[in-house]
Amino acid sequence: YYPYFKEVVLDTVVLNPFDTVRLDTVTTHYFSRNIISVPFKEYFEPYQATTMLSSAVQILNKAIGGDTVLTDHGCGVVRVKADQKTVNFWAKDSVSVPIANSYLYLEMDYWSDFSFSVGFNNPMIAGGQNEINSAMMIYPNKGWQKIYINLGKLWKWYNSYRYIKLYFTIVNSEGKEGNLFLDNMKLVVRQ
């Protein structure tokens, strides 16, 4: 379920066991741009020079990364060394979310050798400690994949506080080297 895309309606499709039915390319669009807001987006294009995420994330240029880059000219990469058990990275700036009591989703493409969590760095200080809360754990995969993460429930824990900071933690429980690639990140909320 993703509330910001128009639904796709197909003609009647008969599915039979062991048969393959090709649906061709299915295209959908956002509902009117007047009802959604994108308070955070990061496409990791080399002309940006730096990313909106902390220094653990570097921009990988297509000229160097070749087929590793999903779209356009670049993607983000976090290189993990064998001796790193966890790698944390976050949005450099707080994101101003315009309206409370709305759906809040993070869209992104990823390709990861590791499990990683997505959540918020608590804007309030709890007992003198900065608190990190995870909304979802994402598992390793073997190629680019699109994901839509509902951050709304976690946002409610913050009483729909207007300023949030995206936070990510890579977990390297096997002690291996590898990468997390990111692209086309957008935080989408209803206006």
Side-chain angles (χ1 to χ4, degrees), residues 5 16 62 70 79 92 95 99 111 125-126 134-135 153-155:
F5 280 163
N16 296 310
K62 186 167 182 90
L70 177 64
R79 303 212 187 273
K92 289 179 187 172
V95 178
I99 301 293
W111 175 3
I125 301 298
S134 176
K153 287 183 181 181
L154 183 58
W155 191 32

Side-chain angles (χ1 to χ4, degrees), residues 93-143:
D93 298 314
S94 292
V95 178
S96 175
V97 181
I99 301 293
N101 301 318
S102 187
Y103 294 110
L104 179 65
Y105 278 83
L106 176 65
E107 292 182 24
M108 68 179 182
D109 295 302
Y110 74 98
W111 175 3
S112 183
D113 296 323
F114 306 97
S115 295
F116 66 101
S117 66
V118 177
F120 298 143
N121 182 346
N122 194 333
M124 326 289 181
I125 301 298
Q129 296 293 321
N130 204 4
E131 192 173 305
I132 309 300
N133 292 300
S134 176
M136 179 179 221
M137 180 64 82
I138 301 168
Y139 297 101
N141 60 345
K142 301 227 184 269

Side-chain angles (χ1 to χ4, degrees), residues 45-162:
E45 290 304 310
Y47 59 80
Q48 289 175 276
T50 61
T51 164
M52 294 171 66
L53 300 173
S54 61
S55 62
V57 182
Q58 303 298 312
I59 294 177
L60 180 61
N61 191 318
K62 186 167 182 90
I64 297 166
D67 292 338
T68 304
V69 174
L70 177 64
T71 58
D72 297 324
H73 304 289
C75 69
V77 61
V78 180
R79 303 212 187 273
V80 180
K81 297 175 184 163
D83 63 344
Q84 293 177 292
K85 297 294 180 204
T86 60
V87 177
N88 299 310
F89 61 98
W90 52 89
K92 289 179 187 172
D93 298 314
S94 292
V95 178
S96 175
V97 181
I99 301 293
N101 301 318
S102 187
Y103 294 110
L104 179 65
Y105 278 83
L106 176 65
E107 292 182 24
M108 68 179 182
D109 295 302
Y110 74 98
W111 175 3
S112 183
D113 296 323
F114 306 97
S115 295
F116 66 101
S117 66
V118 177
F120 298 143
N121 182 346
N122 194 333
M124 326 289 181
I125 301 298
Q129 296 293 321
N130 204 4
E131 192 173 305
I132 309 300
N133 292 300
S134 176
M136 179 179 221
M137 180 64 82
I138 301 168
Y139 297 101
N141 60 345
K142 301 227 184 269
W144 284 103
Q145 186 173 337
K146 173 70 91 180
I147 191 167
Y148 304 90
I149 302 170
N150 182 349
L151 297 174
K153 287 183 181 181
L154 183 58
W155 191 32
K156 298 285 186 223
W157 288 3
Y158 292 91
N159 295 318
S160 302
Y161 184 72
R162 183 176 176 151

